[in-house]
Amino acid sequence: MERPQPTEPDEHVAADIEEAFAEDPRVNEQALQVRVAGGVVEVRGVVSTAAQHQGIVDVLNELLTDHRVALDVRISADELTESGGEERLP
Amino acid sequence: MIRVAAVGDIHLDAKGAGSLRPHLENLSDRADVLLIAGDLTRRGTREEAEVVADELGDVGLPVIAVLGNHDHHSDDVPGVRGALEDAGIRVLDGDTEVIDVDGCSVGVAGVKGFGVGFAGASAADFGEPIARAYFGHARDEAGRLQDALEALDGEVDCRVALLHYAPVPETLTGEPPGIWAFLGSYLLGEAVDRGGADLAVHGHAHRGQEKGTTPGGIPVRNVALPVIRSAYYVYRVGDGRRAG
């Protein structure tokens, strides 16, 4: 994965990060929302495991040089319950 | 009446081993069958599928799955299928499985499906060969689903369509609309309505919503784990009548 240059437009930086999240085996997650503005990278979404969450941090550290990062990423394994409920269908 | 438990997008790998099984201990008291709506693994390797097999094997009720896009990533579908089937997990790909519970039968028709979008924002069978091949895969998947549902017509008390990709846009609400074409297909919705079913379940849309309905009135449920936020959800389907 090519590291985005500090002078690159925010949209290109966001696209490069989304591509890395999808393809990097430490993350492999396509459903993360990435927004880049004002030197800040915001990442939102849900991953399955703590290892994936750490993968996001590692990927961002490798890709970014000058941006600050704001993570709002839940780990579904931590909030998993048994049955979510039951519904009777007609 | 049959109790159908369902979940999708469990995305297990070696680091997820042991994370799901503890939540399935009471499953056989609460449901008659467990459906897995694709993306059982993270990268589609046999090793990951063996983790899934350890989590889902021998849970005390039949387990029926379709594969998802993640399960295809390493080009080892035979390895993934083999690991699952060695653990007694039935993997559907354009075919059916019938479960009988106390004289009431449910037929499950399963395919992965594919995403080409929905009315007003969909791909078409037009243009470059690769574009036509892309659409053709979605059309083939939908056709095999309809055929499988029709094969169950009159043979069982109720029918369930098991998919990875979404058959309606309603359950994608919450996902950016710009990616809906990668998450589902109107062709699958048509197949469900034309083939006939009491319920359609799918995954793939982690940021979507649970409930939807096909244009023909069939309930659709997005059971992606991040949506239902639990190891499974239970749907009671069929009232003893023979679906037709």
Side-chain angles (χ1 to χ4, degrees):
Chain A
M1 183 61 56
E2 189 174 340
R3 175 180 283 204
Q5 297 302 306
T7 55
E8 284 215 77
D10 291 341
E11 291 83 352
H12 291 334
V13 175
D16 288 346
I17 293 170
E18 289 182 356
E19 184 181 337
F21 286 164
E23 296 176 4
D24 192 291
R26 294 169 291 182
V27 184
N28 285 139
E29 179 56 65
Q30 293 174 275
L32 293 168
Q33 193 171 4
V34 179
R35 182 173 175 269
V36 181
V40 178
V41 173
E42 294 178 0
V43 182
R44 295 183 176 192
V46 185
V47 294
S48 300
T49 64
Q52 266 185 300
H53 194 281
Q54 183 59 48
I56 291 171
V57 174
D58 292 343
V59 166
L60 290 173
N61 282 336
E62 291 167 16
L63 277 179
L64 303 174
T65 51
D66 295 334
H67 292 81
R68 288 185 292 118
V69 173
L71 281 187
D72 180 12
V73 179
R74 298 177 0 237
I75 301 170
S76 60
D78 289 349
E79 58 189 31
L80 199 60
T81 62
E82 186 168 347
S83 172
E86 185 175 294
E87 178 186 6
R88 182 172 183 149
L89 295 169
Chain B
M1 184 72 67
I2 287 186
R3 302 168 299 172
V4 177
V7 65
D9 303 84
I10 58 178
H11 290 291
L12 289 171
D13 60 12
K15 290 174 179 166
S19 62
L20 192 60
R21 184 74 185 205
H23 301 290
L24 302 177
E25 293 304 318
N26 300 312
L27 174 61
S28 61
D29 296 329
R30 295 178 174 175
D32 302 307
V33 60
L34 174 63
L35 306 184
I36 311 293
D39 279 3
L40 295 83
T41 66
R42 176 163 313 289
R43 294 177 63 80
T45 65
R46 182 176 178 104
E47 291 72 23
E48 290 177 342
E50 287 169 349
V51 173
V52 176
D54 287 341
E55 298 287 301
L56 299 181
D58 196 25
V59 289
L61 77 180
V63 181
I64 303 172
V66 293
L67 301 184
N69 56 311
H70 279 248
D71 305 317
H72 283 73
H73 182 70
S74 294
D75 295 326
D76 188 19
V77 167
V80 170
R81 281 190 69 122
L84 298 175
E85 289 172 347
D86 286 349
I89 298 167
R90 177 83 160 92
V91 181
L92 298 180
D93 182 19
D95 46 355
T96 64
E97 182 74 14
V98 175
I99 305 294
D100 283 290
V101 180
D102 296 331
C104 188
S105 58
V106 59
V108 181
V111 297
K112 172 180 64 68
F114 197 51
V116 292
F118 299 91
S122 69
D125 187 11
F126 187 82
E128 304 93 320
I130 196 169
R132 284 179 277 127
Y134 187 89
F135 185 85
H137 179 58
R139 186 174 50 200
D140 290 347
E141 291 286 294
R144 295 193 303 129
L145 173 64
Q146 184 174 334
D147 289 346
L149 286 169
E150 288 173 346
L152 293 168
D153 190 10
E155 300 296 322
V156 293
D157 295 306
C158 55
R159 291 180 286 175
V160 178
L162 175 60
L163 308 164
H164 182 57
Y165 285 78
V168 295
E170 196 177 353
T171 49
L172 304 182
T173 302
E175 294 277 5
I179 67 168
W180 286 13
F182 304 109
L183 298 177
S185 163
Y186 72 96
L187 296 166
L188 293 170
E190 290 179 344
V192 171
D193 279 339
R194 291 170 181 166
D198 296 270
L199 168 68
V201 297
H202 72 87
H204 196 41
H206 296 192
R207 290 174 286 184
Q209 66 176 20
E210 184 200 358
K211 295 183 178 180
T213 308
T214 67
I218 293 170
V220 176
R221 298 293 180 264
N222 175 4
V223 296
L225 189 146
V227 172
I228 63 173
R229 296 193 182 195
S230 57
Y232 57 88
Y233 207 96
V234 177
Y235 303 99
R236 289 179 177 258
V237 296
D239 57 5
R241 72 191 186 285
R242 188 161 288 273

